[in-house]
Amino acid sequence: MKRLCLSVTFAVLSAAASAQEPGDAIRPITLLTQPQAAAPQEYQAAEVIADAWRKLGLTVNVRPLPGQQFNQVIWYERQRWDATTWQMVGRPERSDPDELTYNLFVSANAANGYDFVGYKNAEYDKLAQEQREELDLDKRKALIMQAQELINHDQPYGFEVHPFNVVAYNKTIWDPKSMISQAGIGIRSTWTWLNITPLGTQKDVILNSVAPPTNLNPFNISGQQGSWAAEIVWDRLMRVDPEGLPKPWAAEKVERPDATTVNVTLRKGMKWSDGQPVTIEDAVFSLVAPGYGDKAPMYKPFVGNIAGVEATGPDTLTIKLKKPDAAFLVSSLSKLNLAPKHVWQPIFDDLKNKPQTAESIMEEHPVSSGPFRIIKASLNQEIVLEANPDHWSHPKIHRWIMRIMPNVEASMGALKSGELNFLADYTGDPELLKDLAKSSPNIEVSQALDIGFKFIAYNERRPPFDNLAFRQAISAVIDRKLLAEDAWGGAAEPANSWISPALGVWHAKGIVDRVPGGNVAAAQKILKDAGFVLVGNVLHYPKGEKETTEPFH
Amino acid sequence: MRGEPFAAVGAAIYTVIVIMALFAPQLAPYDPREMLRQGRRIARYLPISSEHWLGTTAGGHDVLSQLIYGARAALEVGLTAAIAVVAIGTLLGLLAGYLGGWVDKLITRIADIALGLPFLPFMLVLAALTTPGTRVVIVTVALLLWPNTARVIRSQVLSLRERAWVEAARVTGCSTARIMFVHVLPQVLPLAALYGSVAIGWAILAEAAASFLGFGDPESISWGVMLQDAYANQALGRGAWNWFTPPGLAIVLMVLSGFLVSRGSEKLLFPKLAEQ
Amino acid sequence: MLWAVATLTFLLFRLMPGDPTLNFLSPTFTDETRTALLKSFGLDKPLWQQYLIYLGQLLRGDFGRSFLQQAPVADVLLAALPNTVILTLVSLCIAYAFGIIAGAFLAFRRGALVEATAIPAALATRAAPEFWLGMLVLALFAFQLGWFPTGGAVSPGGSLGSLGTRLTSADFWWHLCLPALTLTLFLQGLPLLLMRATMLEVMNDEFIVMARMKGLSRWSIVMRHAARNALLPVVTAFALGLGASIGGNVVIETVFAWPGIGRVLVQAVQGADYPVAQGAFIMIAFVLVIMNTVADLAYAWLDPRVSVGAHR
């Protein structure tokens, strides 16, 4: 209070001399993060960024919140927080930029959806909608580039880095040449599991997972690790290939005669694990069932655009879309699982009058048609899959075993001792893993740039984050190179877009250079030009603006 | 008390820790929260050197400075919790022992419920219910650990009640309250104090466990948080013994000194003996 | 008593500011998704209705379904409970066996040097944070020396199977070693000191003095008279310790990724999986209450003065 009076007095006295009169002092800003133990790299990055913001005259508190509370505040109390660390994870279905391009920044999602920062720009809305419906690849690319330039200008996020996926495996057990790297995922990909070749007698892949999957069910989008298993147990009509493009898989042919029609020819000779043949009715069912009421709430958005599906022959079906959808092949046909109608239709019928969803059903012996079958699913301990010998692309290994090991040190030790032969889920310090490889000659480390990214979200509902110049300034002092080198131990690349360079077709090259990084002078100039005033060491609003927002508590 | 070597050692350790806490700003070479730099880069994982006697953490903080400031958090949690436990336990033990009857039965019942709640799980749930932090640790310790104190105080009060001078006080017309608080209470205080020094230890261990599981106060610099920090950043994998060992040792020393100061600690750890 | 605990648990968890649907956040998460999820969890009903349903289910032994694991809570708990019980029992038995013998020995052989080192050492093991001990043990025996596995209860590809299978599986016991070692290290201090203290007391007792006067050797006195009488408080402590450890194993189970009740509870609390968290909490409290009762009964039954009185 005293400081406020002093600075106002000082400002009034020097009014004659200076043209810049300060408004109120900016309140202390709270930067929310997850607790250090949960995300040590993000936490450190938050500390570095808070330090940088202090150089601009802001008072910044880094405030960790435990998991549940964290999600609760960010998602349901959107008026309450200033800024937070957040991230988007890479999944094969995000090889098409549509999911993120649309959902992150479109103003319709500001109130309850994933535009939780409250970014509203009609020009962006238009671009996002257009790219969704543009089937011509070059035209669509141009739209995506434009979108990235627009976001770069508006800085709704303070982008930090695109992380690397760092994994390791025992190269005396597995042939390094049989690893297949998927764009934005790395060698921990479905293609590797289908192709990985044993060099000796060990024919089981034993890999780790840090978190237990929530369920293994074709109508449940399991967490990240659960999806590694689900992807190879249930087939889909298409799959995203190593370059990031959709290729027919359980389908022989996929054609798009016009903007709202998709014709699919089903591959012949496929069988379910209970012996029944895979029919065209199964395929139709799999595309339609997620839309049944609210019985599959997580998959429902992905069939939202389907007007109707009809079998047109013993192996063919036609999908009619409500609106043109450029990403449909990747975001839906490569995502929806093929599920047996004879098992699931009765289940859905039974659930009609019950509150439960289909997601909560755990089959005793899950029926699937993919290259692997579930033998054992003890969700908190391990998942054991067995190769399906009848599959047309049957794996070269015997079993795929995923062990749940929440302790990072333990999983590294397990790789060293041979309990694991593939370290697939490593969330620790990459330098340590590389040291391990140096001291153990049979361990090979592999890293690949991820599709995802880490960022600071600026809540535009609360000043000064609603001020464009302010956002540009606080983004300008983020030293992305330092973050990549120190906070992420070299296993990351600076970022300035939600589209990772791993998606070479869609990423706007050089976009990182179009935002200053770690540049305090540039940031100060931006603030000054916009009328913000530095009084002593404290940053004030431009003239006449009052601080009316309550600090976070 | 003076003649006991164990108690003397314990008291000495306590004194050192209190000094560390009181004079932390003077003793600590750096600000424990400051992210130190080496040029442009962060000064991470620096080994032991003349500039950093215990090296630095993964976040570029000086370990020794954090260790010294950690004494403050330790004393804060320990003392507050100990006082709470002793206050509640003594009061309830006094009431139960002196007044007897339904008061005694009621207090014993509540004590049973408190003893029926598992300590760490209760603290976890409470932390998730409110805000994780030292307050939750202190409240849990106070709510769940008072029964042991109360039991011992109660049995001592039971025997004191029959003494001649208490009878005399009653006859001369002193009110019950006066007898309890002015005459009996001072007699049981030494026993209560001994319990207090043990309770300090339990509180610190509880705080360390809470921090380790992620339910501690993430903004404080306590030894428990230091250990969690080291664990999360894989300090053991890096062989950063300079980071990981001192906070653990500090906890051991502080809790140990509490045990040493209370001679006859075995009896306090197992109050049923005192009832014989 | 148990009803009080159950109600308290229910209130605690429902009042928690957490929303299990937040575990499913994703860019395509809509209000519709959330409503459907809430409905399937039964969270859309008013609080008092949820409470009645909860009580009714408890009485039938039904703990409900996990929000996150799509399995009945009872299954989750019953899979984990034996692991905790085995770990606790094994550790307690070894700790107490060691503590009793060492404590008796220390009472027998009194000497300044022995006491000055042994007692603080025993106290120090009790004063150390369990997880810190665990990490040190893990680092030395698992990482550095590679003698033991680094976590879990079973090697990859194996399965835990039924209780019988577990108890006869060498792999299971091998995985049990390090967590049991840590817990034993932590627990032995209490019985050691307790045994020593009560032995010293008893050894000065009247009828021991009488036995000495009868000319019996010191060792036989110790074993036949003093030890038996000193065991009473130790046995009671064992029962109490069992109850307390079931809940306190949370930390050990986390460090060693041991699939026990404690770890289930922590994960459930972190993920706002109310049914599992409630179920785990109640189960732990239940065991604690039972063991407290057992301790009281054992004490009354074994108290020598009670039996002496009977003889008179």
Side-chain angles (χ1 to χ4, degrees):
Chain A
M1 197 53 202
K2 194 169 173 188
R3 207 178 203 179
L4 186 59
C5 287
L6 272 176
S7 40
V8 171
T9 316
F10 178 76
V12 167
L13 286 177
S14 58
S18 108
Q20 304 269 25
E21 284 170 28
D24 284 354
I26 299 179
R27 72 181 178 283
I29 304 286
T30 302
L31 176 58
L32 296 177
T33 85
Q34 283 201 296
Q36 179 153 20
Q41 293 131 334
E42 278 85 334
Y43 186 84
Q44 226 178 77
E47 288 200 310
V48 172
I49 292 173
D51 237 16
W53 287 354
R54 287 186 195 111
K55 295 204 182 83
L56 297 178
L58 290 168
T59 310
V60 187
N61 298 320
V62 175
R63 177 82 184 271
L65 287 182
Q68 272 297 307
Q69 245 178 30
F70 186 56
N71 287 346
Q72 172 83 19
V73 169
I74 304 299
W75 197 256
Y76 290 121
E77 300 177 46
R78 297 184 185 200
Q79 294 300 336
R80 206 176 141 203
W81 52 275
D82 292 322
T84 177
T85 59
W86 203 258
Q87 67 164 359
M88 281 295 134
V89 193
R91 286 175 180 250
E93 303 87 72
R94 290 182 186 161
S95 300
D96 186 294
D98 177 72
E99 188 181 331
L100 296 182
T101 303
Y102 194 87
N103 288 303
L104 293 184
F105 300 117
V106 163
S107 51
N109 280 347
N112 296 320
Y114 225 89
D115 179 12
F116 57 87
V117 293
Y119 175 66
K120 292 186 176 162
N121 185 332
E123 198 191 328
Y124 186 88
D125 289 348
K126 199 158 139 275
L127 277 175
Q129 194 60 41
E130 267 182 53
Q131 67 80 29
R132 210 159 227 212
E133 304 178 356
E134 179 57 69
L135 291 176
D136 178 295
L137 186 63
D138 286 328
K139 287 202 193 131
R140 193 169 171 228
K141 259 169 73 171
L143 290 170
I144 297 281
M145 297 300 162
Q146 262 187 289
Q148 290 175 77
E149 294 292 343
L150 186 53
I151 293 296
N152 173 49
H153 178 266
D154 288 348
Q155 292 290 323
Y157 289 173
F159 290 97
E160 291 173 298
V161 295
H162 298 289
F164 286 174
N165 267 323
V166 183
V167 298
Y169 63 95
N170 188 326
K171 64 182 178 205
T172 58
I173 297 183
W174 307 114
D175 185 357
K177 291 198 281 293
S178 64
M179 304 291 168
I180 299 184
S181 183
Q182 174 149 11
I185 307 272
I187 63 171
R188 186 205 57 220
S189 70
T190 303
W191 304 110
T192 295
W193 308 135
L194 293 176
N195 196 50
I196 190 170
T197 314
L199 290 171
T201 48
Q202 170 62 285
K203 302 227 189 300
D204 293 341
V205 164
I206 308 176
L207 58 117
N208 72 316
S209 156
V210 163
T214 51
N215 193 1
L216 285 180
N217 170 321
F219 293 103
N220 182 338
I221 301 184
S222 200
Q224 200 190 19
Q225 293 88 350
S227 63
W228 302 342
E231 273 167 24
I232 51 181
V233 168
W234 284 280
D235 265 340
R236 317 91 205 253
L237 289 174
M238 305 188 83
R239 279 192 192 266
V240 178
D241 76 4
E243 277 77 56
L245 298 169
K247 287 279 165 359
W249 179 255
E252 231 170 60
K253 240 182 351 184
V254 175
E255 287 160 332
R256 307 190 77 161
D258 63 60
T260 52
T261 313
V262 182
N263 291 333
V264 176
T265 309
L266 195 64
R267 186 185 282 263
K268 301 172 197 26
M270 298 193 290
K271 280 222 214 96
W272 296 110
S273 49
D274 62 0
Q276 306 263 16
V278 177
T279 66
I280 198 70
E281 272 80 45
D282 290 324
V284 172
F285 174 79
S286 305
L287 294 173
V288 168
Y292 285 172
D294 53 4
K295 289 304 164 194
M298 303 220 282
Y299 270 111
K300 192 164 176 189
F302 296 98
V303 302
N305 194 21
I306 296 181
V309 185
E310 235 185 73
T312 51
D315 309 308
T316 54
L317 58 81
T318 298
I319 306 171
K320 273 284 179 206
L321 299 175
K322 294 177 188 161
K323 284 198 294 210
D325 185 350
F328 186 73
L329 298 186
V330 173
S331 62
S332 296
L333 284 190
S334 302
K335 194 172 178 106
L336 295 167
N337 291 310
L338 274 184
K341 182 170 180 177
H342 60 275
V343 171
W344 286 95
Q345 182 75 65
I347 295 179
F348 273 91
D349 289 338
D350 180 55
L351 288 176
K352 240 184 242 164
N353 295 319
K354 296 191 185 152
Q356 266 181 294
T357 63
E359 292 168 0
S360 60
I361 305 291
M362 186 73 175
E363 295 173 82
E364 181 87 37
H365 300 287
V367 178
S368 60
S369 63
F372 285 90
R373 296 179 182 150
I374 299 176
I375 299 297
K376 175 187 156 196
S378 171
L379 292 177
N380 263 326
Q381 289 151 43
E382 67 180 12
I383 296 185
V384 181
L385 307 181
E386 194 183 66
N388 177 357
D390 300 325
H391 198 267
W392 77 89
S393 174
H394 65 101
K396 304 191 173 101
I397 54 175
H398 178 45
R399 291 187 304 176
W400 186 94
I401 302 173
M402 181 163 87
R403 279 203 91 183
I404 316 303
M405 304 184 84
N407 185 337
V408 172
E409 304 258 21
S411 51
M412 260 193 357
L415 179 67
K416 191 161 157 217
S417 69
E419 273 176 77
L420 297 174
N421 53 45
F422 202 111
L423 190 66
D425 197 2
Y426 184 70
T427 51
D429 192 331
E431 279 175 36
L432 281 181
L433 196 56
K434 291 182 185 143
D435 287 342
L436 180 64
K438 272 190 223 129
S439 61
S440 311
N442 39 339
I443 293 183
E444 176 90 359
V445 176
S446 166
Q447 65 182 37
L449 193 60
D450 193 73
I451 290 177
F453 60 99
K454 317 266 182 187
F455 62 102
I456 307 284
Y458 306 145
N459 191 348
E460 296 190 24
R461 300 174 189 85
R462 290 164 66 94
F465 294 98
D466 57 348
N467 181 309
L468 175 65
F470 184 78
R471 292 199 305 273
Q472 288 173 335
I474 57 177
S475 286
V477 292
I478 297 179
D479 189 343
R480 297 171 187 84
K481 261 183 79 195
L482 181 68
L483 294 181
E485 281 165 7
D486 277 343
W488 272 276
E493 234 179 65
N496 187 32
S497 164
W498 68 98
I499 298 178
S500 161
L503 300 179
V505 171
W506 305 107
H507 171 75
K509 292 189 188 14
I511 191 102
V512 176
D513 303 322
R514 286 199 274 292
V515 66
N519 193 335
V520 178
Q524 284 170 335
K525 183 166 184 314
I526 295 174
L527 287 172
K528 187 147 168 265
D529 289 345
F532 287 88
V533 188
L534 200 61
V535 179
N537 280 331
V538 180
L539 191 65
H540 285 242
Y541 285 99
K543 166 182 168 174
E545 276 180 45
K546 304 224 149 284
E547 176 60 274
T548 52
T549 317
E550 278 289 310
F552 180 87
H553 55 268
Chain B
M1 191 106 135
R2 282 278 169 265
E4 289 286 323
F6 284 163
V9 169
I13 299 176
Y14 259 137
T15 318
V16 168
I17 294 177
V18 169
I19 292 178
M20 251 170 57
L22 284 178
F23 296 105
Q26 285 77 20
L27 289 171
Y30 299 89
D31 179 345
R33 294 182 196 276
E34 190 186 337
M35 194 186 321
L36 301 161
R37 301 284 181 124
Q38 258 190 333
R40 197 180 125 258
R41 305 287 298 271
I42 304 174
R44 315 171 74 208
Y45 281 120
L46 293 183
I48 295 179
S49 68
S50 52
E51 278 159 12
H52 298 282
W53 289 7
L54 287 177
T56 61
T57 69
H61 305 288
D62 181 56
V63 175
L64 180 61
S65 307
Q66 287 200 329
L67 191 68
I68 293 176
Y69 271 86
R72 284 195 166 175
L75 276 181
E76 196 187 296
V77 171
L79 281 178
T80 319
I83 292 174
V85 166
V86 166
I88 298 176
T90 310
L91 182 64
L92 291 180
L94 185 60
L95 289 174
Y98 195 80
L99 296 176
W102 64 268
V103 175
D104 188 7
K105 281 208 174 57
L106 178 65
I107 293 179
T108 315
R109 217 81 195 81
I110 299 178
D112 280 340
I113 295 182
L115 285 176
L117 292 172
F119 188 80
L120 266 182
F122 186 79
M123 185 167 64
L124 292 189
V125 171
L126 209 58
L129 170 62
T130 55
T131 334
T134 46
R135 225 180 332 144
V136 173
V137 177
I138 294 172
V139 166
T140 311
V141 170
L143 282 180
L144 296 185
L145 291 188
W146 65 262
N148 285 332
T149 317
R151 270 211 175 123
V152 177
I153 299 288
R154 177 181 167 277
S155 56
Q156 222 205 5
V157 167
L158 278 177
S159 67
L160 281 178
R161 200 167 64 163
E162 313 306 325
R163 295 277 179 85
W165 50 269
V166 173
E167 193 59 41
R170 219 179 292 153
V171 162
T172 58
C174 284
S175 70
T176 316
R178 200 178 151 80
I179 298 177
M180 276 203 299
F181 291 105
V182 176
H183 297 287
V184 181
L185 182 61
Q187 300 281 324
V188 297
L189 273 182
L191 190 59
L194 286 183
Y195 255 103
S197 72
V198 173
I200 293 182
W202 292 145
I204 294 179
L205 284 176
E207 190 269 328
S211 298
F212 176 70
L213 292 172
F215 293 95
D217 183 355
E219 293 187 67
S220 79
I221 304 169
S222 70
W223 295 328
V225 170
M226 280 179 78
L227 286 175
Q228 191 217 29
D229 192 358
Y231 176 70
N233 283 293
Q234 300 174 263
L236 267 194
R238 276 183 175 266
W241 297 97
N242 56 301
W243 185 10
F244 198 88
T245 327
L249 282 180
I251 295 178
V252 172
L253 283 175
M254 181 149 178
V255 178
L256 180 63
S257 57
F259 291 162
L260 292 177
V261 161
S262 59
R263 319 163 286 153
S265 55
E266 303 92 288
K267 293 243 176 73
L268 296 183
L269 293 176
F270 189 59
K272 279 207 190 283
L273 276 185
E275 278 173 23
Q276 281 179 356
Chain C
M1 239 299 279
L2 283 173
W3 173 83
V5 173
T7 307
L8 193 65
T9 317
F10 174 83
L11 286 173
L12 271 180
F13 283 99
R14 292 309 149 106
L15 289 177
M16 270 211 295
D19 186 343
T21 63
L22 286 171
N23 287 309
F24 304 97
L25 270 189
S26 79
T28 47
F29 190 82
T30 59
D31 267 350
E32 211 192 320
T33 317
R34 178 164 185 262
T35 321
L37 284 172
L38 281 179
K39 199 163 138 204
S40 76
F41 293 154
L43 290 177
D44 55 333
K45 301 201 183 69
L47 201 63
W48 62 266
Q49 239 183 22
Q50 289 183 40
Y51 178 60
L52 288 176
I53 295 176
Y54 164 79
L55 275 186
Q57 284 177 330
L58 260 191
L59 286 174
R60 277 179 283 139
D62 177 7
F63 284 94
R65 294 187 71 91
S66 159
F67 290 162
L68 296 181
Q69 284 192 49
Q70 316 300 352
V73 173
D75 287 355
V76 174
L77 295 180
L78 285 177
L81 184 63
N83 297 331
T84 300
V85 171
I86 295 175
L87 172 63
T88 312
L89 270 179
V90 169
S91 308
L92 268 179
C93 288
I94 300 180
Y96 271 68
F98 174 78
I100 288 173
I101 296 176
F105 178 76
L106 281 180
F108 191 54
R109 276 209 187 296
R110 300 205 61 187
L113 185 62
V114 164
E115 280 179 16
T117 46
I119 295 181
L123 285 173
T125 55
R126 194 73 203 210
E130 277 176 83
F131 63 91
W132 189 65
L133 284 178
M135 288 303 292
L136 294 178
V137 163
L138 192 65
L140 180 60
F141 292 108
F143 285 90
Q144 207 123 6
L145 295 172
W147 291 348
F148 292 97
T150 50
V154 73
S155 294
S159 94
L160 271 183
S162 67
L163 185 58
T165 329
R166 272 176 243 188
L167 287 176
T168 51
S169 150
D171 191 43
F172 181 76
W173 288 103
W174 187 51
H175 279 81
L176 183 60
C177 284
L178 287 189
L181 174 66
T182 311
L183 199 52
T184 307
L185 200 63
F186 182 74
L187 289 174
Q188 50 79 31
L190 180 66
L192 190 152
L193 293 170
L194 192 58
M195 187 67 183
R196 177 182 166 275
T198 53
M199 280 275 291
L200 285 177
E201 238 188 61
V202 168
M203 273 165 77
N204 291 329
D205 231 9
E206 273 192 13
F207 75 102
I208 298 295
V209 175
M210 275 195 25
R212 281 208 78 180
M213 285 192 346
K214 275 203 241 166
L216 294 172
S217 79
R218 252 196 116 190
W219 181 248
S220 95
I221 294 174
V222 165
M223 286 333 285
R224 287 165 77 206
H225 298 286
R228 232 181 294 151
N229 288 294
L231 270 178
L232 164 63
V234 174
V235 166
T236 323
F238 183 89
L240 288 177
L242 185 63
S245 277
I246 298 279
N249 277 343
V250 172
V251 179
I252 299 274
E253 289 177 11
T254 306
V255 171
F256 291 96
W258 184 257
I261 286 272
R263 208 178 76 146
V264 166
L265 176 65
V266 172
Q267 286 174 336
V269 169
Q270 284 170 339
D273 191 345
Y274 303 153
V276 175
Q278 272 167 209
F281 192 88
I282 289 177
M283 192 166 263
I284 295 176
F286 191 67
V287 172
L288 185 59
V289 167
I290 289 184
M291 294 320 296
N292 282 354
T293 319
V294 166
D296 281 339
L297 290 176
Y299 189 83
W301 187 54
L302 290 173
D303 190 331
R305 283 181 301 170
V306 173
S307 44
V308 166
H311 284 157
R312 286 212 194 114

